[in-house]
Every structure is written in structure tokens, then in C-alpha cells.
Amino acid sequence: MELGELLIALREIYRHMRLKVDGDRLEKALREMGEVGATPSGGVSRLALSDADREARDLLVSWFREMNLEIKIDPIGNIFATRRGHEDSKPVVMGSHIDTVRDAGIFDGALGVLGALEVLRTLDDSDTETVKPVTVAAFTNEEGARFQPDMMGSMVYAGELGVEEAYESRDDDGVTVKQELDRIGYRGEDSLTPSCYLELHVEQGPVLHSTGHRIGVVEGVQGIAWWHGGYVGQANHAGTTPLELRRDALLGASDLNVRLRALAEEMGEASVATMGRLSPSPDVINVVPGRADFTLDFRQYALRLFTEGKSRVEALVQEVAEHHKLERSLRQSADAQPVRFDAAMVDLVESKARELGLSYMRMPSGAGHDAQFLSHVCPTAMVFVPSIGGRSHCPEELTSFSDCENGANMLLECVQQLAGRRL
Ligand SMILES: [Zn+2]
């Protein structure tokens, strides 16, 4: 074999060599990040823009610096760290968030950011050059546990929330987002335009764990509608008021709750409806409740059924009010349309799961994620890994480290395809 042929053969072998992330290193990073804001109950609290959030950001940035990544901070405090490509073009972006709710687990959000970091470390280890640059992103305040709205960083990034409006959001102590961004030193001026976006996340639901699939190929995010409502009847004596003369607001709300469940079952197609809060008044043992305030949550993945479901929920609130001779009030407080991820990106994720021999299923996301706003900016997809018992937003949140490793390998495979691996 001549030297030229040998080189070509070696190049072919190299091209077919599959890179693999270092699962132990990923586990170490997850555990180290999990120490930041650790609580006595074994959970973690890193509310957005708190001291713990700053500490987590500083740790992440120190890891980025060690790798000589180009670090950018945008006006809402989103962090981007870019590994140079052969071309100076729009980067392939992977990411998620590192803020948490109060007493959360260590995987929600952190896996997407640290899995992406592990991908870059693996590219570094093997001296792999990509054609396009590759970026790790950590978005500000995904959880919305301290400042509303949730998904604030990605929403501002996508231009769906003005940065000045976001700056004015206040926590329970009256402190603003802008003050806290300045205090922790993460209000930047940079920007970054992605070519596409990939997010690895724990499922936060029981589907993958209960069906035994290793990977969720996420096709989109459910539409979410919220309402704050109330029924007003007449408070009266529980002993002297005959049943047929009552206007019992709590009875109306209870009836609504039961019929709401029946409506979701009748609509099917994985429709879910929930009365999450219900407060009667006067809330006394021997008084017919004259008032009952409630919240409603309706979710559905198909746009047509989402639209239909919203109007049926509203009609039901009215129908139940009439049946129980009650006045009603109803105010819609959230209306996030269903999101469908880019078909080619979703297909890519699916093909990589197949290539890696990982069992997978296509599924929608029941929870909101940064990816739903990124999908308005560039082709986007998500990868889910199983949440044991479907638990999340609690210290018991758990995903096996081998599933974390699988998820990071999925990112690695997709990124090499999307950014192009140079030989
Ligand atoms: Zn999350």
C-alpha cells in the first residue's frame, strides 16, 4: 500500500470512529454543580440571580475558561461559551439552565448544560475540529420560581419579552431582575446568533421510566392555558337553608372540577385538565360557601384540540354556573400555544438514537422548556432521558448516570452531524 492510500485508509477509519463522552466526568460535574446551593434535605436551591445562582454561574464560567472557550453574556444574563469551528459561522448551540426551584433535584436543567459541556470536552480530548463553531448556553431564570415569567432568559433571547420589561420583574422582597443581574455581575452586552439549538433534559414525567425506553425524541411542547376564576353564590346558614334554596359556590366549583376531568377524558389525545387551587369562603363549618375561587390548567399538544379545549373549558365554567345559579368570573392568565420542533432536527435525533442502539419513543414535552422559545429563532429539537418514578422539582428527582451519559452521547452525535466534523 502506498503512503497516499494508507493516509486515505486511516482517514476512513478515523471518520468511522465513534466518539464517546466520558460518563464519569459528566457525573463528577453534575455532582459538583449539585453541591452549589445544596440543602439539608439533600436537594438544591439555586433561585435565579441569587448568591447560589451566581456561585453556579462562576463555577460554570471557570470550566469554560479552562477550555479557552469564548464567553459571552447577553443583557438578560444568558451565558454562551463557544468552541471555535473551522468556519466563522453561526454556531450550533446546545444548552438549558442552571437555576432551580426551591429544594429541587440536581438534574433538571443542569444536565442539559453540563451534558453540552461534556460534549465540548470530548471534542477537545480527541482534537476534533468542527466546521461550524459549537456553543454551550445557560439561560437565565428558566424556572420562574423567584421572578416571573418563567423561561425569562430564552423568552428575551427570542424577542418575545422586552428586556426592559424583564428587568422590572420583582421578587417577593421587591428586588428587580436588573438590580440582581448587576449585583451578581451578569448583565452583559453581547449577543449570539445560533444556526440551530439542541436541549438535553430529564423528562420530569413517568413515561420513559414506565415504558422502559432510554431516550425520548421530543417532537414539541404542549400548549398550556391557565385561568383564574371564581363562583359567587350566597353564604347562608347550613342548618336552616333548604337544599333547593341554596346557591352553594363550593358545590359549583366541585361540580366543575369533576366535569373538567370528564371533559379531558372525553377529548382524549392526552388532554389534561387540572383544578390546582380551590378556596371557598367564608370557609366555616356551618356556613354554605358563598364564594369559591379556583385556578384551571389545560394542556394539549395538537393546536386544533388545544383551541377547541380552551373554548370548551370556558363554556363548561359558564354551564356549571348556570346550573348552580352562581355568578362567575374567569380570567385567562396564560396561553402558550403548542410548539412543534423542526421535523428535520427531530428526525436527526431519532436516527442517532437508532444508530446508538438506544430504545426510544417520540413524545411531546408536558413541561415548558427554553427550547420552546429557541424554536422561534432557529431549528430546534430536544432529547429526554428517563426520570426515575417521574419525580422532579424535589430532592428525590433522579436520573441514572448511565442515562445521563446516553443523553450526552446523543448530543455529541447530533452536534458532529450539525456542525460537521472535519478530517
Ligand atoms: Zn428544566
Side-chain angles (χ1 to χ4, degrees):
M1 197 185 274
E2 286 182 20
L3 186 61
E5 286 176 60
L6 183 67
L7 280 176
I8 290 168
L10 283 173
R11 188 183 276 192
E12 274 303 291
I13 291 167
Y14 175 71
R15 205 158 64 86
H16 288 100
M17 227 166 52
R18 217 181 261 288
L19 297 178
K20 291 282 183 194
V21 302
D22 181 338
D24 292 338
R25 184 169 54 189
L26 174 58
E27 176 177 342
K28 194 165 162 269
L30 280 163
R31 289 189 190 279
E32 203 171 331
M33 184 58 81
E35 289 297 313
V36 182
T39 59
S41 58
V44 53
S45 289
R46 289 194 303 267
L47 298 187
L49 313 181
S50 63
D51 287 345
D53 187 17
R54 165 166 53 189
E55 201 185 320
R57 286 164 176 264
D58 290 351
L59 177 62
L60 190 63
V61 166
S62 75
W63 287 336
F64 291 155
R65 290 231 165 88
E66 278 169 21
M67 298 167 70
N68 291 316
L69 303 176
E70 187 195 354
I71 298 165
K72 291 182 167 184
I73 313 288
D74 78 0
I76 195 66
N78 296 324
I79 304 172
F80 302 100
T82 300
R83 182 177 188 269
R84 215 174 279 124
H86 184 70
E87 290 172 359
D88 184 20
S89 53
K90 291 180 193 170
V92 171
V93 180
M94 301 173 280
S96 195
H97 60 95
I98 53 170
D99 70 307
T100 72
V101 295
R102 218 176 283 280
D103 229 0
I106 68 166
F107 299 93
D108 176 358
L111 177 61
V113 176
L114 301 181
L117 174 74
E118 176 54 35
V119 168
L120 296 199
R121 284 174 165 169
T122 305
L123 294 176
D124 275 358
D125 286 351
S126 56
D127 278 328
T128 301
E129 190 184 14
T130 54
V131 179
K132 290 180 187 172
V134 182
T135 300
V136 179
F139 292 99
T140 296
N141 185 28
E142 192 274 346
E143 296 290 4
R146 180 181 178 200
F147 297 104
Q148 284 80 49
D150 56 356
M151 295 179 273
M152 181 182 275
S154 47
M155 211 187 255
V156 169
Y157 183 74
E160 310 228 351
L161 173 68
V163 70
E164 293 299 332
E165 194 182 329
Y167 282 161
E168 292 311 307
S169 175
R170 288 172 193 272
D171 70 2
D172 290 342
D173 297 326
V175 181
T176 68
V177 163
K178 190 176 187 181
Q179 286 169 335
E180 287 296 82
L181 277 171
D182 284 333
R183 185 182 68 84
I184 68 168
Y186 279 90
R187 190 159 71 90
E189 293 177 342
D190 302 325
S191 64
L192 181 121
T193 309
S195 65
C196 55
Y197 179 71
L198 261 179
E199 182 165 348
L200 168 63
H201 206 282
V202 291
E203 183 202 339
Q204 299 181 278
V207 177
L208 292 175
H209 181 229
S210 62
T211 58
H213 291 101
R214 301 266 64 86
I215 296 291
V217 177
V218 186
E219 296 184 291
V221 182
Q222 292 190 113
I224 303 175
W226 282 353
W227 296 265
H228 285 75
Y231 283 146
V232 177
Q234 197 171 53
N236 219 329
H237 195 291
T240 61
T241 318
L243 294 180
E244 64 274 15
L245 295 182
R246 293 184 181 193
R247 294 172 61 217
D248 184 337
L250 180 56
L251 184 66
S254 307
D255 191 17
L256 174 65
N257 196 10
V258 172
R259 287 165 72 171
L260 187 70
R261 164 73 182 232
L263 171 64
E265 282 175 5
E266 187 196 319
M267 288 193 64
E269 301 293 324
S271 299
V272 284
T274 307
M275 181 182 284
R277 300 181 70 176
L278 174 58
S279 40
S281 61
D283 202 14
V284 170
I285 191 166
N286 57 357
V287 179
V288 175
R291 184 179 181 93
D293 293 310
F294 52 80
T295 61
L296 305 176
D297 174 310
F298 174 75
R299 303 185 190 211
Q300 164 57 236
Y301 181 54
L303 180 59
R304 187 184 57 79
L305 286 176
F306 181 62
T307 308
E308 180 193 323
K310 284 188 293 182
S311 54
R312 287 183 69 176
V313 167
E314 290 178 357
L316 184 63
V317 172
Q318 175 64 27
E319 194 185 316
V320 172
E322 286 168 13
H323 182 74
H324 293 271
K325 302 184 195 69
L326 304 169
E327 304 296 319
R328 66 145 185 93
S329 62
L330 192 65
R331 176 178 65 83
Q332 193 168 2
S333 48
D335 187 14
Q337 301 292 304
V339 166
R340 294 263 172 186
F341 291 142
D342 181 80
M345 289 282 287
V346 175
D347 287 348
L348 173 68
V349 171
E350 179 174 10
S351 71
K352 293 304 176 185
R354 207 179 301 127
E355 272 178 40
L356 290 179
L358 296 168
S359 59
Y360 67 89
M361 62 182 287
R362 284 182 170 247
M363 62 192 298
S365 169
H369 294 292
D370 292 313
Q372 77 191 67
F373 289 101
L374 269 291
S375 75
H376 300 171
V377 177
C378 62
T380 293
M382 285 189 82
V383 178
F384 274 174
V385 286
S387 296
I388 294 173
R391 307 276 312 266
S392 141
H393 283 187
C394 54
E396 292 77 19
E397 174 183 284
L398 187 62
T399 293
S400 78
F401 286 107
S402 71
D403 280 326
C404 294
E405 183 179 346
N406 287 338
N409 275 320
M410 287 288 295
L411 288 181
L412 177 62
E413 289 289 328
C414 293
V415 156
Q416 290 175 85
Q417 182 95 30
L418 292 164
R421 184 174 164 190
R422 266 184 55 89
L423 302 173

